[in-house]
Amino acid sequence: MSDCLFCKIVAGQIPSTKVYEDETVYAFRDINPMAPVHILVVPKRHISSADEVTAENSADIARIFEVIPRIAKEEGLTNGYRVITNCGADACQSVKHLHFHILGGKQLPDNMG
Ligand code: AMP
Ligand code: ZN
């Protein structure tokens, strides 16, 4: 998707602070961190949201969930962390390329407001 912000980040057309990369997964630091550790993990190929996950692309998502604990360990999140994906308007999804937030490094609030 040529007009997608995270596709451009994956392609290196927009700079990012890379945390992890393999054939199908890219992870980088959120530009507006909500916690001491705030990382976004995305599939390299464009999937608009969690609502677009199918049997055809779910291997990329499974891979993301293999990578998340590795990143958490490297970031020192030994006391826990939160993984969030916002899907659609009610969830305030602002970038329409599926991404998983990893949040940690402090005690996170126990309600979503
Ligand atoms: P969401 O609201 O779930 O769609 O999250 C989008 C996230 O992308 C927000 O936390 C933003 O701070 C983050 N973001 C937007 N632009 C960039 C960028 N250029 N580099 C890194 N993170 C970004
Ligand atoms: Zn995209």
Side-chain angles (χ1 to χ4, degrees):
M1 287 261 304
S2 57
D3 62 345
C4 170
L5 175 63
F6 288 174
C7 281
K8 287 180 179 167
I9 284 179
V10 167
Q13 293 161 1
I14 290 176
S16 65
T17 304
K18 180 167 83 174
V19 171
Y20 176 88
E21 180 175 19
D22 65 26
E23 304 79 48
T24 64
V25 178
Y26 190 80
F28 55 102
R29 297 199 188 277
D30 196 291
I31 204 168
N32 182 27
M34 307 295 281
V37 175
H38 189 171
I39 291 166
L40 301 175
V41 191
V42 307
K44 283 189 168 178
R45 69 165 154 167
H46 184 87
I47 300 170
S48 343
S49 77
D51 205 39
E52 301 298 324
V53 176
T54 65
E56 191 274 325
N57 62 26
S58 60
D60 289 6
I61 311 311
R63 178 66 189 155
I64 284 174
F65 277 86
E66 292 175 28
V67 165
I68 284 172
R70 292 174 50 175
I71 293 174
K73 189 170 185 186
E74 279 164 21
E75 295 290 325
L77 301 178
T78 53
N79 204 42
Y81 55 92
R82 183 168 289 161
V83 179
I84 294 175
T85 189
N86 294 318
C87 178
D90 276 4
C92 303
Q93 182 184 3
S94 62
V95 179
K96 307 299 188 282
H97 180 129
L98 176 59
H99 52 281
F100 296 89
H101 300 253
I102 302 175
L103 292 153
K106 70 171 186 181
Q107 178 64 61
L108 298 166
D110 70 354
N111 85 61
M112 303 288 287

